[in-house]
Amino acid sequence: MSITDMKINDKWPAKDPSILQLYSFPTPNGKKASIMLEEIGLPYEAHLVPLGDEYVRSPEFLSLSPNNKIPAIIDPDGPGGQPVALFESGAILIYLAEKTGKLLPEGAGKYEAIKWLMWQMGGLGPMLGQLGFFYKFAGKEIEDPRPRDRFVGEAKRLLNVVNGALEGRDWVAGEYSIADIAIAPWLQALDFYEAKDLVGWDGFANLQPYVDRFAARPAVQSGSNIPARS
Ligand SMILES: N[C@@H](CCC(=O)N[C@@H](CS)C(=O)NCC(=O)O)C(=O)O
């Protein structure tokens, strides 16, 4: 099957179906895929998928991402030259790293990076996402303080973990890797949530220098707004 035969193409047509197609929105999870694509320099086409139900719950998008979440990709040149379709940002990062041999070290370093990637996927991202909901968005109307306190506590605990991992090193797995592309955009999200004071950000000495190092990378700067919000 080619990309043009896929249902997603009916709503988000590929201009050049011979290159990788990205379906995303520039949130912390979406940015992981676009920053990675900018880092590795693979040609790709980006499609904006706004987060409303008419887009993420459309039959066309669900045909590619049944979990109704961005980011997702189709690579027409997957294993064996066959197209590969992926959702879940962590899976996309591993796939692109293995395809290009970039940003995932060999040997023991590989598992160090995957360990921190899994930590972000299962911990930092979901907990900070809930913190944003209960502190800045609709959940802030809830009077019961327990949900917010729960996620503030988890956020502080997780920030302390990554702050410790960064003691004496620039990047969580030693060298710059997909683990940093997964973690740093979530740390940046605390600005958007206006929650830095709430989680005691200034008490974690290694975090702001880490986010600044990340933000200084040209691929992070270009990839952070792809696809551009219309
Ligand atoms: N575990 C998923 C989470 C992706 C995710 O939460 N995406 C959000 C935006 S950051 C989304 O698409 N939300 C749309 C919705 O839930 O309707 C991943 O890392 O790819």
Side-chain angles (χ1 to χ4, degrees), residues 25 41 50 78 83 90 102 105 107 116 129 149 196 206:
F25 193 81
K102 292 182 179 168
W116 283 106
D149 289 353
K196 278 183 152 172
N206 298 321

mmCIF file of all heavy atoms in Angstrom, residues 25 41 50 78 83 90 102 105 107 116 129 149 196 206:
data_model
loop_
_atom_site.group_PDB
_atom_site.id
_atom_site.type_symbol
_atom_site.label_atom_id
_atom_site.label_comp_id
_atom_site.label_asym_id
_atom_site.label_seq_id
_atom_site.Cartn_x
_atom_site.Cartn_y
_atom_site.Cartn_z
ATOM 1 N N PHE A 25 1.123 18.652 15.999
ATOM 2 C CA PHE A 25 0.773 19.982 16.498
ATOM 3 C C PHE A 25 1.884 20.312 17.498
ATOM 4 O O PHE A 25 2.333 19.410 18.215
ATOM 5 C CB PHE A 25 -0.603 19.933 17.191
ATOM 6 C CG PHE A 25 -1.192 21.284 17.452
ATOM 7 C CD1 PHE A 25 -1.854 21.973 16.442
ATOM 8 C CD2 PHE A 25 -1.093 21.879 18.706
ATOM 9 C CE1 PHE A 25 -2.412 23.229 16.669
ATOM 10 C CE2 PHE A 25 -1.644 23.141 18.935
ATOM 11 C CZ PHE A 25 -2.304 23.820 17.911
ATOM 12 N N GLY A 41 17.746 15.470 9.890
ATOM 13 C CA GLY A 41 17.872 15.992 8.529
ATOM 14 C C GLY A 41 17.216 15.142 7.458
ATOM 15 O O GLY A 41 17.564 15.257 6.278
ATOM 16 N N PRO A 50 -4.885 20.074 14.259
ATOM 17 C CA PRO A 50 -5.338 20.789 15.461
ATOM 18 C C PRO A 50 -5.951 19.801 16.447
ATOM 19 O O PRO A 50 -6.403 18.713 16.052
ATOM 20 C CB PRO A 50 -6.381 21.767 14.917
ATOM 21 C CG PRO A 50 -6.081 21.905 13.452
ATOM 22 C CD PRO A 50 -5.556 20.568 13.032
ATOM 23 N N GLY A 78 9.991 2.351 4.978
ATOM 24 C CA GLY A 78 10.245 1.662 6.239
ATOM 25 C C GLY A 78 11.062 0.397 6.029
ATOM 26 O O GLY A 78 11.647 0.192 4.950
ATOM 27 N N PRO A 83 6.033 0.811 3.578
ATOM 28 C CA PRO A 83 5.626 1.924 4.448
ATOM 29 C C PRO A 83 5.448 1.461 5.888
ATOM 30 O O PRO A 83 5.020 0.335 6.131
ATOM 31 C CB PRO A 83 4.272 2.367 3.888
ATOM 32 C CG PRO A 83 4.104 1.690 2.580
ATOM 33 C CD PRO A 83 5.037 0.523 2.537
ATOM 34 N N GLY A 90 7.334 8.213 21.729
ATOM 35 C CA GLY A 90 8.526 7.436 22.101
ATOM 36 C C GLY A 90 8.884 6.425 21.021
ATOM 37 O O GLY A 90 10.069 6.230 20.686
ATOM 38 N N LYS A 102 21.215 7.830 14.378
ATOM 39 C CA LYS A 102 21.537 9.094 15.073
ATOM 40 C C LYS A 102 20.789 9.212 16.405
ATOM 41 O O LYS A 102 19.642 8.778 16.519
ATOM 42 C CB LYS A 102 21.160 10.287 14.190
ATOM 43 C CG LYS A 102 22.042 10.409 12.960
ATOM 44 C CD LYS A 102 21.639 11.634 12.153
ATOM 45 C CE LYS A 102 22.560 11.740 10.918
ATOM 46 N NZ LYS A 102 22.064 12.708 9.941
ATOM 47 N N PRO A 105 22.830 6.112 21.290
ATOM 48 C CA PRO A 105 24.180 5.540 21.272
ATOM 49 C C PRO A 105 24.154 4.022 21.102
ATOM 50 O O PRO A 105 23.110 3.392 21.237
ATOM 51 C CB PRO A 105 24.739 5.904 22.656
ATOM 52 C CG PRO A 105 23.774 6.812 23.294
ATOM 53 C CD PRO A 105 22.482 6.737 22.560
ATOM 54 N N GLY A 107 25.513 0.148 22.269
ATOM 55 C CA GLY A 107 25.930 -0.539 23.500
ATOM 56 C C GLY A 107 25.133 -0.098 24.712
ATOM 57 O O GLY A 107 23.948 0.190 24.627
ATOM 58 N N TRP A 116 15.679 6.515 30.139
ATOM 59 C CA TRP A 116 15.178 7.873 30.411
ATOM 60 C C TRP A 116 14.019 8.241 29.493
ATOM 61 O O TRP A 116 13.119 9.003 29.881
ATOM 62 C CB TRP A 116 16.324 8.893 30.312
ATOM 63 C CG TRP A 116 17.167 8.830 31.546
ATOM 64 C CD1 TRP A 116 18.420 8.289 31.675
ATOM 65 C CD2 TRP A 116 16.786 9.272 32.865
ATOM 66 N NE1 TRP A 116 18.843 8.378 32.981
ATOM 67 C CE2 TRP A 116 17.870 8.975 33.722
ATOM 68 C CE3 TRP A 116 15.661 9.885 33.388
ATOM 69 C CZ2 TRP A 116 17.837 9.278 35.089
ATOM 70 C CZ3 TRP A 116 15.615 10.192 34.744
ATOM 71 C CH2 TRP A 116 16.700 9.885 35.577
ATOM 72 N N GLY A 129 1.422 16.830 32.469
ATOM 73 C CA GLY A 129 0.196 17.095 31.720
ATOM 74 C C GLY A 129 -0.994 17.255 32.659
ATOM 75 O O GLY A 129 -1.815 18.173 32.515
ATOM 76 N N ASP A 149 -2.814 18.800 44.406
ATOM 77 C CA ASP A 149 -1.709 18.510 45.326
ATOM 78 C C ASP A 149 -0.972 17.231 44.915
ATOM 79 O O ASP A 149 0.249 17.140 45.011
ATOM 80 C CB ASP A 149 -2.234 18.337 46.759
ATOM 81 C CG ASP A 149 -2.695 19.665 47.351
ATOM 82 O OD1 ASP A 149 -2.472 20.709 46.704
ATOM 83 O OD2 ASP A 149 -3.302 19.648 48.441
ATOM 84 N N LYS A 196 6.176 27.209 37.298
ATOM 85 C CA LYS A 196 7.553 27.029 37.776
ATOM 86 C C LYS A 196 7.680 27.311 39.275
ATOM 87 O O LYS A 196 8.338 26.560 39.995
ATOM 88 C CB LYS A 196 8.513 27.908 36.979
ATOM 89 C CG LYS A 196 8.918 27.268 35.657
ATOM 90 C CD LYS A 196 9.907 28.148 34.955
ATOM 91 C CE LYS A 196 10.808 27.312 34.058
ATOM 92 N NZ LYS A 196 11.656 28.179 33.234
ATOM 93 N N ASN A 206 20.148 22.200 38.301
ATOM 94 C CA ASN A 206 20.626 21.718 36.994
ATOM 95 C C ASN A 206 19.598 21.877 35.866
ATOM 96 O O ASN A 206 19.927 21.629 34.707
ATOM 97 C CB ASN A 206 21.006 20.232 37.108
ATOM 98 C CG ASN A 206 22.135 20.032 38.099
ATOM 99 O OD1 ASN A 206 23.064 20.848 38.152
ATOM 100 N ND2 ASN A 206 22.063 18.983 38.904
#
